[in-house]
Amino acid sequence: MRNQTQVYDAYIAGRQSAALAAAVRLGLFDALAPGALPLEELARRLEVAPRPLGHLVRALVAMDLLARGPGGIELGAEAAAELVTGAPGSLCGLIDLEVENFLTPRLVLEALRSDAPSVYGGDDPWAAHQRDPERARAFTRAMHSISLRPGEALAESVDFSRGGLLLDLGGGSGALSIALARRWPELRCTVVDLPEVCELAEEYVAGAGLEGRVETLPADFFADPLPPADAVLLSQILHDWTPERGEALLRRVRGLLRPEGRVLVHEKLVSDDGRGPLANALVDLDMLVWTEGQQYSAASLAALLERSGFEGVSSRRTTGYWSVVEARPAGAAGLPGAGD
Ligand SMILES: C[S@@+](CC[C@H](N)C(=O)[O-])C[C@H]1O[C@@H](n2cnc3c(N)ncnc32)[C@H](O)[C@@H]1O
């Protein structure tokens, strides 16, 4: 007889996200960061009753994020590294966004039936962020939290020893530019994003002490004038748009690049054969409810880049689920469209 766990485990898996997000919002991992606490004392500090907290703790222990030690409930190693606010690899901002924007079956069904993003009741997310600064702040915090560590890995996998200007289109908090500027002292970066988000990026850049090396340029990257650059970074940008809009953006990028320049596309790729990896295939559902885009495979990105006037496309994994795809303008100098 089959043991019938595969479907059940998939069904029950969403409870893990729910437990994680609730615990982050409650401040449970932060409360345990200094050391283990008995359940009753943890409940007192979090201002909840011991009985319901016991349910959450049981789930998190089973998920190996908490452990039961001699001093009470304690953080597991992964939780200490990634679930404490302000820790260098903290994913708290990303996970906290789940409390208001959980990916529910209802949102997936709405997006399937309407063929449009459903997360903000069908509203365009970028327009919604411009109208609602709190949403922009929460989203940008989430992006910062998911991008800073992969940004460090990206910075290790590229060579900017010759410096120059990198345009970070849709750069969000500036997480990638911050990591690149820290690693490559000759490099200057400009974060191009919508006005509300640029204000937030300036806070992150100031927090990193990189004013002067990382600047912001409030602009619509599809339409507003942009300066010529030695490199253009598109981190989690092409996956927000249809391939047609992606091609239009890449054609602009090609026009901005100096002859020796290159475009860097930083994404969580799905495999060319459509079989996974699971984490990146699931992010494709996020793209469904948030955007009109999708996760690319290395081959589909290479085809998009070549259609858009690039050549010499190469792709490599940087860390975890992340890859960078690099290309240079086809035919280099003399292409039409520079700075258009
Ligand atoms: C998915 S986030 C990626 C942020 C960042 N690149 C990262 O990887 O952490 C997409 C970003 O694109 C920005 N964006 C969307 N439409 C834009 C436009 N037309 N012009 C400039 N930025 C835009 C959003 O505000 C947001 O910060």
Side-chain angles (χ1 to χ4, degrees), residues 126 129-130 139-140 143-144 146-148 168-176 192-194 197 219-223 233-237 239-241 266 287 322:
W126 316 123
H129 291 168
Q130 288 309 291
F139 183 84
T140 304
M143 286 296 109
H144 189 76
I146 196 179
S147 293
L148 196 55
D168 184 358
L169 296 192
S173 71
L176 284 296
V192 179
D193 210 299
L194 300 169
V197 179
D220 175 349
F221 54 44
F222 284 114
L233 172 64
L234 296 168
S235 175
Q236 306 189 86
I237 298 302
H239 78 171
D240 290 339
W241 305 97
H266 184 237
M287 292 307 108
W322 294 88

Side-chain angles (χ1 to χ4, degrees), residues 258-287:
R258 299 200 171 102
E260 299 297 308
R262 56 194 151 145
V263 64
L264 301 170
V265 180
H266 184 237
E267 291 279 358
K268 286 180 277 194
L269 299 178
V270 289
S271 62
D272 292 326
D273 65 8
R275 287 168 183 258
L278 177 62
N280 294 358
L282 292 176
V283 170
D284 208 32
L285 290 179
D286 289 305
M287 292 307 108

